[in-house]
Amino acid sequence: MQETPFQLFNNEQPMKLATKIIHAGAEPDPSTGAIMTPIYQTSTYVQAAPGQHKGYEYARSQNPTRKALEDALAIIENGKYGLAFSSGVAATDAVIKLLSPGDEVIAANDMYGGTYRLFTKVFEKFGIKFIFVDTTKTSNIEAVITSNTKLIWIETPTNPLMNISDISAIATVAKKAGALLCVDNTFASPYLQNPLDQGADIVMHSATKYLGGHSDVIQGALVINDGSLKDQLHFIQKSCGAVPGPMDCFLVLRGIKTLHVRMQRHCENGAVIAHYLRSHPKVQKVYWPGFEDNAGFAIAKKQMRDFGGMISFTLKDESIEAANKVLSSTKLFSLAESLGGVESLINHPASMTHASIPREERIKNGLADGLMRLSVGIEDANDLIEDLKQAIG
Ligand SMILES: *Cc1c(COP(=O)(O)O)cnc(C)c1O
């Protein structure tokens, strides 16, 4: 794992993101000079004598392809240590396993449905208490924080309503209470936002999304600065065993190399489509962090470099039938869960990604039955607009 800041030119000038993204974690393979880290498809490593090895004993604990990826993850998130997991929820699972019965977690009331399901259906029965609040107002967190609060879990922008929470303000509240702050940075990606720089303790990613970028792998990641926290999470990673295979690590390493180029186009296309939808006479509301009249705009501007390619919207006709017509008429936007790949997707949170959240909870938190979510890909923006035009009618 990367222990020192990634510097090429003496410390004077920090390396720019685009350069870090290409070179992070990439060392020519020591045995052949291969420029790409090989896929070390092995379960074990031969020792010269008992206990005499090259830092690799058994592949659940260490794998060179995974190590290259973990170093890269640390560098692009401006952290010291990266840990890769077999999925985003496995990374989340590892964070919650830092806790003990009686501990409390304050979590965002608008977040990925699978995270909500893991918290309420798996961990609550082990005596961990989850309190869900609207984290866009930091005072809501302060109102419920107690000496039992050990973790604050936020997503920003949130899935699917693109709400923005103030990472540095929440980090201050967490520190004062002695709680950890974990930010699910999946929607922003390290290209748009680096939560550790704003005071977060742990950054979590579903690498399945923008980091992988090509809809061909399931993977998760954590990035941390604190050495003892890294040791605890690494212990959980190897003890519980939710590690990614070397092929999947290779795919994410390769995906990361074009993160900045893809994200730039995701952002450009996202802006064009958000404005198009907002001007459409049949569209009721567009959720995208880049609108100046959005409640979270000032904070988004402060903590993000751009606004991304995730957009949700509702129609003036709020019926499920009207939404279904759009969902089944798009031709370039494929109807599918997930996001962050090069191709555009359309999703219906109420019946797909967020179906695991009870309807009353969804409605209470502003997730309408007819809400549709777009993961805007990197195709030509005019073609994407033509597709939405014919689908919305
Ligand atoms: C997909 C997703 C997850 C879960 O990650 P998996 O890789 O599917 O396990 C967590 N958070 C967010 C915001 C996601 O979009």
Side-chain angles (χ1 to χ4, degrees):
M1 271 163 273
Q2 190 77 21
E3 305 262 352
T4 48
F6 189 60
Q7 288 289 14
L8 200 57
F9 313 114
N10 309 320
N11 269 355
E12 276 155 32
Q13 192 176 322
M15 198 182 290
K16 304 289 187 300
L17 187 65
T19 315
K20 287 204 286 190
I21 278 172
I22 303 286
H23 293 280
E27 295 290 339
D29 181 53
S31 58
T32 63
I35 191 161
M36 286 305 298
T37 305
I39 301 161
Y40 280 91
Q41 195 76 52
T42 188
S43 61
T44 192
Y45 309 88
V46 178
Q47 308 197 358
Q52 249 185 60
H53 53 75
K54 300 177 171 148
Y56 295 95
E57 298 150 282
Y58 183 62
R60 173 155 37 75
S61 305
Q62 312 99 353
N63 178 286
T65 320
R66 195 172 95 213
K67 184 185 181 308
L69 171 67
E70 290 178 334
D71 288 350
L73 290 165
I75 289 164
I76 62 175
E77 267 299 6
N78 295 339
K80 284 200 184 130
Y81 311 102
L83 293 168
F85 292 84
S86 55
S87 67
V89 293
T92 304
D93 172 89
V95 174
I96 305 302
K97 284 174 178 160
L98 293 166
L99 308 176
S100 305
D103 288 349
E104 293 179 8
V105 180
I106 299 173
N109 65 359
D110 170 29
M111 61 176 186
Y112 180 67
T115 307
Y116 178 86
R117 181 175 60 195
L118 179 66
F119 288 178
T120 56
K121 296 274 163 52
V122 177
F123 280 111
E124 237 163 34
K125 68 169 183 278
F126 293 110
I128 296 167
K129 190 169 163 201
F130 296 89
I131 301 152
F132 296 95
V133 301
D134 172 2
T135 58
T136 61
K137 292 193 184 57
T138 307
S139 57
N140 291 340
I141 296 176
E142 288 175 291
V144 295
I145 206 160
T146 72
S147 57
N148 294 329
T149 308
K150 294 291 166 1
L151 177 70
I152 299 175
W153 185 282
I154 63 168
E155 256 180 61
T156 180
T158 61
N159 179 7
L161 295 174
M162 314 302 154
N163 287 320
I164 304 292
S165 293
D166 188 333
I167 299 171
S168 64
I170 296 173
T172 305
V173 169
K175 268 200 183 80
K176 215 168 82 194
L180 296 171
L181 171 62
C182 181
V183 178
D184 181 338
N185 204 28
T186 301
F187 265 41
S189 90
Y191 176 84
L192 294 181
Q193 174 172 282
N194 299 115
L196 296 179
D197 290 347
Q198 328 238 2
D201 301 286
I202 307 172
V203 174
M204 177 264 163
H205 278 283
S206 169
T208 311
K209 316 294 167 54
Y210 286 109
L211 290 175
H214 296 76
S215 310
D216 53 10
V217 65
I218 295 282
Q219 196 172 108
L222 299 176
V223 183
I224 39 271
N225 270 324
D226 181 79
S228 93
L229 189 55
K230 178 267 293 181
D231 290 343
Q232 291 174 64
L233 288 165
H234 181 233
F235 178 80
I236 293 167
Q237 183 198 38
K238 77 172 180 195
S239 304
C240 299
V243 292
M247 175 74 193
D248 290 353
C249 293
F250 177 87
L251 286 172
V252 175
L253 261 175
R254 185 163 84 159
I256 285 173
K257 287 194 188 286
T258 54
L259 179 68
H260 54 307
V261 186
R262 287 184 285 110
M263 287 309 295
Q264 196 179 348
R265 181 64 72 85
H266 283 298
C267 291
E268 285 167 16
N269 283 358
V272 170
I273 286 170
H275 285 98
Y276 166 74
L277 286 172
R278 194 176 232 202
S279 69
H280 197 293
K282 288 191 181 166
V283 170
Q284 176 71 26
K285 182 156 184 187
V286 184
Y287 301 80
W288 178 67
F291 290 129
E292 287 189 24
D293 54 0
N294 249 20
F297 180 75
I299 299 166
K301 192 115 185 100
K302 178 184 77 162
Q303 68 192 19
M304 297 173 74
R305 298 184 186 94
D306 204 335
F307 304 109
M310 295 302 299
I311 301 168
S312 294
F313 69 103
T314 52
L315 299 175
K316 285 186 180 142
D317 178 347
E318 291 173 2
S319 68
I320 288 271
E321 292 71 32
N324 274 344
K325 189 187 152 279
V326 176
L327 291 159
S328 51
S329 314
T330 53
K331 299 197 161 71
L332 287 174
F333 283 88
S334 304
L335 179 62
E337 298 196 7
S338 199
L339 60 113
V342 291
E343 63 286 294
S344 293
L345 300 179
I346 189 165
N347 164 48
H348 181 228
S351 68
M352 296 166 68
T353 43
H354 291 65
S356 51
I357 301 174
R359 183 169 184 274
E360 320 80 76
E361 279 294 307
R362 286 200 308 261
I363 301 291
K364 201 173 82 196
N365 300 333
L367 200 170
D369 286 337
L371 186 89
M372 289 170 272
R373 190 190 78 184
L374 301 177
S375 171
V376 178
I378 63 171
E379 301 96 332
D380 186 282
N382 292 319
D383 289 338
L384 295 177
I385 285 180
E386 280 309 307
D387 192 26
L388 291 171
K389 195 181 276 177
Q390 63 80 23
I392 299 171

